[in-house]
Amino acid sequence: MRFTTVSLTLLSLLHLSAGQPHQHRAHRHPIPKRDKITVTDTSRTTTTEFPEVVVYVDQHNRPLRTATETVVYVPASVETPKVPVPMTTTTVFAPAPSSKDVPAHHSGSSAALSSNSSTFKHVSTFEPIPTPLPSKSSRTSSHPSTSTSTSSIPSPPPSPPTSGGRALHGVTYSPYKGAGGCKSADDVARDFALVANDYGVIRLYGVDCDQVATAYAAAKKHGNKLFLGIFDIHSVEQAVSTMAAGVNNDWSIVDTVSVGNELVNNGGATVSQSLAALSQARTALRAAGYQGPVVIVDTFVAMQAHPELCDQSDYCAANIHPFFDANTAAPQAGPFVTSIVEKIRSKLADKSKRIVVTETGWPWKGKANGAAVPGMDQQSIALSSIKSEYTNNPTDVILFTAFNDMWKKPAASTFMAEQFWGMGGRYSPVDE
């Protein structure tokens, strides 16, 4: 772990700015670029700069505050930095997991378990755009007709995407414009150009908006893998057909296919309906030529209550959002995630089964949820904490989300943060 300590007297020299975007999106101001902190390091032979958590202290060496700043380390013989900042490198203190239990509630139950006089309720961070997607009522008008038997030989995990020989985390992506409607192929291409080199797997949620085909073209260009999704479990066959056409039957680019997203947790499907859809999807995908993992994605609350959702998937796929735990501050985000993973593992029939966190992140704007406070610095700290827990297995975590989701509606239930989970506060070019 690394800290940089800066005396308060240095603040007047640095003129650091901590501005945030304006509340109204149409008239928001850019976040001012902070100055850089230069540190002479005789142990280094080349100039290096990267973000670090800086602890500001007064003249008596008493901590005043912390912030994520760009710190430039230069050898004694070098006056100015010449190496560009590596945008994907962050270093932050990640405390050990708390000994307290994580509060949780069983999906579909009004009785919540509590810890330290507070409760935890998972709130979905993904909802389909109202138009042009079908209405929710049309998604629940029928049920899968296939057998609920899901026995099969689990698929081996695909080779992890890499950049420069190193494995990368994944990130979620939605193909919707903030003003409504679908992003064009050019819009998707511009989005991928901004994030593709920083992530390996790009997770999609559905097949509408021609998103499989447009994402396939962009992923093919940049060398990413796709995590495809069947959002409507009552149209499995149609979704598989759309996927096959969208990837031109080139299934080598597909890392995983998910069946539903948080349906059991949200009451959109029963456990038996989800398992039936999983079996139907796996059969259809195998017939179409796809041999990779097929999984049900749901919240960790649903997975703990119904571990068969994991047991019958090719690996366990759970959404885990520390922000929605009022007891968890940004620095504890990583330990929160991994502690939940171990709680899920304790419920599984096969304790060695792979568990992938298919959504996790932190909002950079919104209202506080107890100790969970949105903010640019808080997001950076939380993401660094999560990444530090997955140093040895980065492909087992998918961050939420590539860009701010301006097509969503802010709501008090999600602390007015629903739109603002984009990595680094990033907006898609089409929404700027």
Side-chain angles (χ1 to χ4, degrees):
M1 88 184 53
R2 187 197 306 270
F3 276 100
T4 298
T5 303
V6 178
S7 171
L8 181 64
T9 57
L10 186 59
L11 291 175
S12 61
L13 299 176
L14 296 177
H15 301 290
L16 299 177
S17 173
Q20 296 291 337
H22 195 277
Q23 292 292 321
H24 195 287
R25 179 174 66 89
H27 303 287
R28 68 180 183 275
H29 302 296
I31 301 170
K33 179 177 176 61
R34 294 189 174 97
D35 293 331
K36 300 174 182 178
I37 300 173
T38 302
V39 177
T40 300
D41 187 347
T42 56
S43 67
R44 296 178 183 269
T45 58
T46 59
T47 299
T48 306
E49 65 177 53
F50 44 82
E52 284 193 354
V53 173
V54 177
V55 180
Y56 291 91
V57 300
D58 61 16
Q59 66 270 30
H60 302 294
N61 206 37
R62 292 178 298 204
L64 295 176
R65 71 181 182 93
T66 62
T68 302
E69 311 284 14
T70 298
V71 180
V72 183
Y73 290 94
V74 298
S77 60
V78 178
E79 295 294 332
T80 58
K82 297 180 181 179
V83 178
V85 55
M87 299 302 293
T88 60
T89 302
T90 54
T91 305
V92 67
F93 169 61
S98 169
S99 59
K100 68 179 179 66
D101 290 333
V102 178
H105 80 282
H106 291 295
S107 175
S109 171
S110 60
L113 303 177
S114 64
S115 176
N116 297 337
S117 302
S118 65
T119 60
F120 175 83
K121 180 179 181 181
H122 180 94
V123 182
S124 172
T125 53
F126 179 84
E127 286 292 338
I129 189 170
T131 56
L133 296 180
S135 66
K136 287 187 177 181
S137 60
S138 68
R139 295 188 191 121
T140 57
S141 59
S142 60
H143 300 282
S145 58
T146 57
S147 167
T148 58
S149 173
T150 55
S151 59
S152 68
I153 300 175
S155 305
S159 300
T162 61
S163 175
R166 62 188 180 92
L168 299 172
H169 308 88
V171 73
T172 66
Y173 178 77
S174 299
Y176 311 122
K177 295 180 180 180
C182 303
K183 292 180 179 179
S184 67
D186 287 342
D187 293 332
V188 173
R190 284 194 293 270
D191 285 348
F192 268 64
L194 292 173
V195 301
N197 292 336
D198 295 330
Y199 304 98
V201 169
I202 310 295
R203 182 187 171 196
L204 309 180
Y205 289 84
V207 297
D208 58 307
C209 286
D210 201 28
Q211 62 181 288
V212 177
T214 56
Y216 170 76
K220 195 78 171 175
K221 177 180 179 181
H222 294 282
N224 299 99
K225 293 276 191 177
L226 295 177
F227 183 123
L228 301 182
I230 299 173
F231 188 82
D232 183 0
I233 66 170
H234 306 305
S235 300
V236 169
E237 300 285 347
Q238 180 181 352
V240 171
S241 177
T242 301
M243 287 178 183
V247 300
N248 295 322
N249 293 307
D250 176 16
W251 293 108
S252 65
I253 202 170
V254 179
D255 176 272
T256 300
V257 176
S258 65
V259 181
N261 185 67
E262 303 187 350
L263 292 180
V264 172
N265 184 83
N266 295 338
T270 64
V271 172
S272 61
Q273 287 170 346
S274 290
L275 293 176
L278 175 68
S279 176
Q280 182 185 15
R282 186 183 281 124
T283 299
L285 286 162
R286 297 292 183 259
Y290 173 69
Q291 302 300 319
V294 185
V295 302
I296 292 171
V297 173
D298 219 304
T299 67
F300 72 85
V301 176
M303 294 303 190
Q304 285 181 271
H306 306 286
E308 60 269 34
L309 297 173
C310 283
D311 291 336
Q312 297 190 36
S313 294
D314 289 332
Y315 62 74
C316 186
N319 294 346
I320 305 175
H321 285 287
F323 176 74
F324 292 118
D325 176 28
N327 292 319
T328 299
Q332 286 80 43
F336 177 91
V337 171
T338 51
S339 69
I340 292 297
V341 166
E342 291 312 307
K343 288 177 183 289
I344 294 173
R345 188 177 304 284
S346 70
K347 304 281 187 179
L348 301 183
D350 177 5
K351 300 297 190 289
S352 65
K353 191 160 194 167
R354 184 188 183 202
I355 300 176
V356 175
V357 179
T358 41
E359 274 187 22
T360 191
W362 198 272
W364 61 272
K365 185 177 177 181
K367 294 185 176 181
N369 173 29
V373 179
M376 289 296 293
D377 285 338
Q378 287 85 350
Q379 186 194 64
S380 177
I381 291 170
L383 293 177
S384 294
S385 177
I386 293 167
K387 289 178 181 179
S388 71
E389 295 290 323
Y390 283 86
T391 300
N392 297 324
N393 54 332
T395 58
D396 283 350
V397 64
I398 299 176
L399 301 175
F400 185 90
T401 182
F403 300 97
N404 296 319
D405 288 324
M406 304 315 297
W407 53 276
K408 294 183 179 179
K409 302 297 183 184
S413 61
T414 50
F415 306 95
M416 308 304 290
E418 191 75 358
Q419 298 170 315
F420 306 112
W421 291 68
M423 297 292 103
R426 177 175 276 162
Y427 287 84
S428 168
V430 75
D431 289 333
E432 290 183 326

